Amino acid sequence: MLGKIKESIDKSLVSVSVKSGTYLETEKLKAKVGNVQEEIHNLKQELGEAIFAQWKNGGVNPQTIESSCAALNRKEAEIAGYQAQIDQITLEKARILGEELKPAATGREGGVTCSCGKVNAPGAKFCKACGKKLEAGAEAAQETAQSRHCPSCGALMEPGARFCCECGHQTV
């Protein structure tokens, strides 16, 4: 009996440790994403002001546009890198704790909620906050809870799966 209690306490400690550690790591990364999004906003504003000033003076310099757009692309890639790190942390946490990951779900307002927590418009394919592809939406709402079988190997597939876990056959 004491062994079961000790095991339960050990599992609880691991759970609390993993959850708090991953929470802190993801919140730091989300803060970085927010900072970079602010930088992107400022870069876009500066670009607009520069183009308008050039237009007022009779011509627009394409090099201004290209260099600003290149900087914006680098910032967007930086955000994608942070999001990939968040996704990896979330996957690792789920693996350690034996949790099942849930795909993006339909939000309270009828929109699609991304794994980053932002609610997007119904039918959105990408998150407006982090740019991640959304898994839910109209297609998920139309799916039934019935199990499917792979047309290639016959293995039981989870609802919403696009690939068979047994043979890798693409089903959608």
Side-chain angles (χ1 to χ4, degrees), residues 28-167:
K28 286 178 187 176
L29 290 168
K30 286 178 183 178
K32 289 180 180 182
V33 167
N35 291 338
V36 175
Q37 286 173 331
E38 182 67 27
E39 291 174 20
I40 287 173
H41 174 76
N42 292 337
L43 284 170
K44 287 179 178 179
Q45 187 172 352
E46 291 170 10
L47 174 62
E49 290 171 0
I51 290 173
F52 180 70
Q54 289 176 9
W55 175 81
K56 262 177 89 172
N57 292 326
V60 176
N61 182 353
Q63 289 178 334
T64 301
I65 297 171
E66 286 184 35
S67 64
S68 294
C69 288
L72 287 168
N73 278 338
R74 286 190 298 275
K75 294 295 179 185
E76 288 176 350
E78 188 176 346
I79 288 175
Y82 291 142
Q83 188 59 49
Q85 289 177 20
I86 291 170
D87 292 345
Q88 186 61 37
I89 290 168
T90 303
L91 288 170
E92 185 65 14
K93 176 184 120 184
R95 186 191 66 76
I96 292 170
L97 298 178
E99 296 174 343
E100 183 177 327
L101 283 178
K102 296 178 183 173
T106 302
R108 292 182 303 269
E109 296 85 11
V112 178
T113 304
C114 180
S115 60
C116 76
K118 193 66 158 181
V119 178
N120 296 273
K125 293 183 173 138
F126 295 91
C127 178
K128 64 184 174 185
C130 68
K132 184 177 179 184
K133 184 172 181 168
L134 300 171
E135 298 293 325
E139 299 139 22
Q142 294 172 358
E143 285 184 5
T144 63
Q146 298 175 349
S147 297
R148 298 181 301 151
H149 293 274
C150 174
S152 178
C153 72
L156 184 63
M157 296 179 59
E158 293 180 14
R162 297 185 318 191
F163 294 89
C164 175
C165 292
E166 291 296 320
C167 69

Side-chain angles (χ1 to χ4, degrees), residues 10-23 25 87-101:
D10 288 345
K11 284 182 181 179
S12 296
L13 288 173
V14 167
S15 177
V16 168
S17 175
V18 169
K19 287 180 180 180
S20 63
T22 57
Y23 175 79
E25 288 180 58
D87 292 345
Q88 186 61 37
I89 290 168
T90 303
L91 288 170
E92 185 65 14
K93 176 184 120 184
R95 186 191 66 76
I96 292 170
L97 298 178
E99 296 174 343
E100 183 177 327
L101 283 178

